[in-house]
Amino acid sequence: SVNVTGVRESRVGNLKDDEFLRKAVRGSYAIVHAAAITNTLDPMLEEINIKYTEKLVQAAKCCKIRRFVYISTENATHHCKDPYTKSKIKAEHIVLASYPEALILRPALIFGKRDTRTLASFARAIRSFPIVPVFSKRHCTLQPIYAEDVAKFVHQGLKLNKKGTYTLVGTEPKTFAEIGRI
């Protein structure tokens, strides 16, 4: 959260605990909600991505938090039908129902220094195996975005009082083969 003096604060606790949520957000100017389960097979996906978003929004409204930034997914732009994307779209609706002037950011695949998932897994496979299948350019391009760039968009969005829904992508499309070479 960001308090009224502009100082960023972190609080650790259990999202199941309504009192913790209220205490955690009280005194904040804005909430930046980026927590999510991305594994479509995780049985907690809907509970975390939808129910806990609703609980956080309720706590924010109760404490009269002025701004809400929700980190969604680029897949919502394309209305993908996988469970993860569906949960993010439902969560977007929950946020917008209480915060019609919310800032919704839909980043493409995020990568960063401590990335251990998608792109890092691909890089490990390239280093470990003599042959790695890749998709042709015609079928799959990505525009991954650097985590620090997403953070800059959040900061600028709050600073400039932005509202609405924005898709965030990297500077240029890359095929898996190009990403592998990089």
Side-chain angles (χ1 to χ4, degrees):
S1 66
V2 180
N3 69 21
V4 290
T5 62
V7 175
R8 286 177 203 86
E9 298 177 7
S10 298
R11 300 201 176 94
V12 178
N14 189 334
L15 293 175
K16 292 180 181 180
D17 182 351
D18 293 333
E19 184 58 30
F20 161 75
L21 283 174
R22 283 190 295 278
K23 284 180 182 176
V25 302
R26 193 170 290 124
S28 297
Y29 167 75
I31 301 296
V32 179
H33 178 26
I37 298 279
T38 58
N39 179 350
T40 60
L41 301 176
D42 192 313
M44 296 289 291
L45 182 130
E46 285 196 13
E47 183 173 359
I48 299 294
N49 295 1
I50 299 168
K51 181 179 176 186
Y52 290 155
T53 296
E54 187 170 38
K55 290 170 76 67
L56 182 57
V57 166
Q58 288 170 354
K61 284 305 273 189
C62 175
C63 294
K64 297 181 178 22
I65 306 305
R66 295 171 57 192
R67 298 294 321 272
F68 204 100
V69 179
Y70 181 65
I71 308 298
S72 187
T73 175
E74 176 193 27
N75 293 349
T77 305
H78 310 295
H79 300 287
C80 296
K81 302 295 183 201
D82 64 282
Y84 168 69
T85 303
K86 286 178 170 181
S87 74
K88 296 299 271 185
I89 291 170
K90 286 179 184 176
E92 284 184 16
H93 292 296
I94 290 166
V95 170
L96 290 171
S98 290
Y99 284 92
E101 296 191 2
L103 176 59
I104 308 284
L105 298 177
R106 293 176 171 173
L109 183 64
I110 299 173
F111 69 97
K113 292 177 184 171
R114 293 182 202 97
D115 180 23
T116 59
R117 297 181 338 180
T118 311
L119 292 181
S121 296
F122 186 57
R124 280 192 301 276
I126 289 170
R127 287 191 292 272
S128 301
F129 301 106
I131 298 173
V132 177
V134 295
F135 304 98
S136 75
K137 182 176 183 171
R138 186 170 55 92
H139 295 294
C140 186
T141 59
L142 301 171
Q143 282 184 256
I145 186 163
Y146 191 54
E148 288 183 19
D149 290 337
V150 175
K152 287 175 187 175
F153 280 111
V154 169
H155 181 261
Q156 283 298 104
L158 288 169
K159 183 177 174 183
L160 299 174
N161 203 30
K162 290 289 185 181
K163 60 184 174 187
T165 302
Y166 298 87
T167 301
L168 308 178
V169 297
T171 55
E172 56 188 80
K174 300 279 186 205
T175 64
F176 266 101
E178 291 170 321
I179 290 170
R181 281 191 285 279
I182 291 169

